[in-house]
Amino acid sequence: MSFYFRDGYLYCDQLKVKDIQSQIPESPFYLYSKQQITTNYNAYSEAIEGLDAIIGYAVKANNNLAILKHLQKLGSSAVLVSGNELRIALKANFKPERTILNGNGKTIEELMHAIQNQVLINVDSEFDLRHIQQAANGVGKRANVLIRINPDIDPQVHPYVSTGIKNSKFGIQNNKLDWFLDSIKSSALLNLVGIHCHLGSTIEQTKIFYDATVLMLEFVEIIRSQGFELQYLNIGGGLGIDYHKQGKILPTPLELINSIREILGNKHISLIIEPGRSIVGNTSILVNRIIGVKTNGNKNFVVIDGSMAELIRPSLYNAYHHIDLIEPCKGQLQTFDIVGPVCESADFLAKDRLLASPLEGMGLAVWDTGAYCQVMSSNYNLKMRPPEYWIDGNQLIQIRKKERIEDYLNLFNI
């Protein structure tokens, strides 16, 4: 792994994180390993060898342009959920015809942009299908679509990231499939090229993907029997990563693909997978500086300059991120909540963690922040979104500037 300890100091690849922190005036900041991103992507690339398959990186997990360009050069395609994600994907040189636009609330403008660029579009509802047809009429081009089917399979994850059960806002009801097929048949501007499902995120069992693929292949046969020439089966993404650092054995990309390789057999279908978290999640840490240590008599707190504004997952999902000091500390071991300066009781990065009582100014790292962290950051309390750096070999390179208050003030016309 790219993050490891040596002599009490945390390293990223060949560089000591404490030395990096001393070079960077801004705090907190995100620090990535470019090599780890490459390793994670290659694990998928190697897993699909022998299959007709597309790796569609989920841009929503992390949309840093440097990371997107790197993944594109490695051979990745892109999976999008907004018109602006399409714009940045084109900026990163992803091939639009191998790019997929998801979403349950796509606007006409977004759809027109996608159709103009020949992007594959997932149909999510009756109104979504109507909007796609309106957009195709407006552009004067045929839209290549996949139907997003809700397989009603429980991925056994946090309900906020479960997307394939019957009460989800995503996908069509299975019993309405014939209506969608008839509607697509009747339109000269709709071309059905595949079907899609997405079960959720942080999935820890390959059997969940297997069950979904078996069911989706049944739908492939049903749809083909009605005269459609389906090209793609998109099974989504969602593999989890080891946030807890307790040695839990999680499925690898190879184990995921091998679990469905045989049932794909000679179905003459191209597989699409949509990994996000499992490509970028463990490639980054959020590096913070300790402002001070306090107690209220019942609890001990380490107050850092990072907060829910820079990393909201713990506050939003009660998500666990591992916490470490980035340097040796001889302080007494105590149990702390790790909190930020934002004026909310929900502003915490971790609770009830055993740490050596640190000194002011020491560095503290939040692990596994490559996915759904910086992209969900905000300006709450007028915190400015943090800068991002990556290590490329033995070089530290800034890949996103820190926002400034001047950037924010420039948004106002007064």
Side-chain angles (χ1 to χ4, degrees), residues 30 32 57-63 67 201-202 239 241 243 275-285 310-313 317 319 321 367-376 388:
Y30 283 98
Y32 298 83
Y57 168 68
V59 173
K60 68 191 175 93
N62 191 309
N63 57 31
I67 292 172
S201 191
T202 69
L239 272 185
I241 64 173
Y243 283 108
R277 186 189 316 270
S278 53
I279 286 182
V280 293
N282 68 352
T283 67
S284 173
I285 57 175
E310 289 84 10
L311 201 169
I312 199 173
R313 292 189 72 252
Y317 304 126
H321 284 267
W367 288 67
D368 300 316
T369 59
Y372 304 104
C373 292
Q374 199 284 334
V375 288
M376 297 176 77
E388 295 175 283

Side-chain angles (χ1 to χ4, degrees), residues 128-144:
D128 194 36
L129 183 64
R130 187 174 69 252
H131 290 170
I132 294 169
Q133 186 161 9
Q134 290 175 10
N137 285 329
V139 173
K141 283 187 176 182
R142 204 175 189 199
N144 294 318

Side-chain angles (χ1 to χ4, degrees), residues 26 47 88 115 137 178 257 270 406:
E26 307 100 342
I88 200 169
I115 294 167
N137 285 329
D178 285 340
I257 297 301
S270 296
E406 292 78 15

Side-chain angles (χ1 to χ4, degrees), residues 355-367:
L355 281 179
S357 185
L359 301 175
E360 292 181 13
M362 280 187 165
L364 181 142
V366 183
W367 288 67

Side-chain angles (χ1 to χ4, degrees), residues 257-268:
I257 297 301
N258 281 348
S259 73
I260 61 174
R261 190 182 296 272
E262 285 191 12
I263 59 173
L264 290 173
N266 58 355
K267 301 294 183 181
H268 305 293

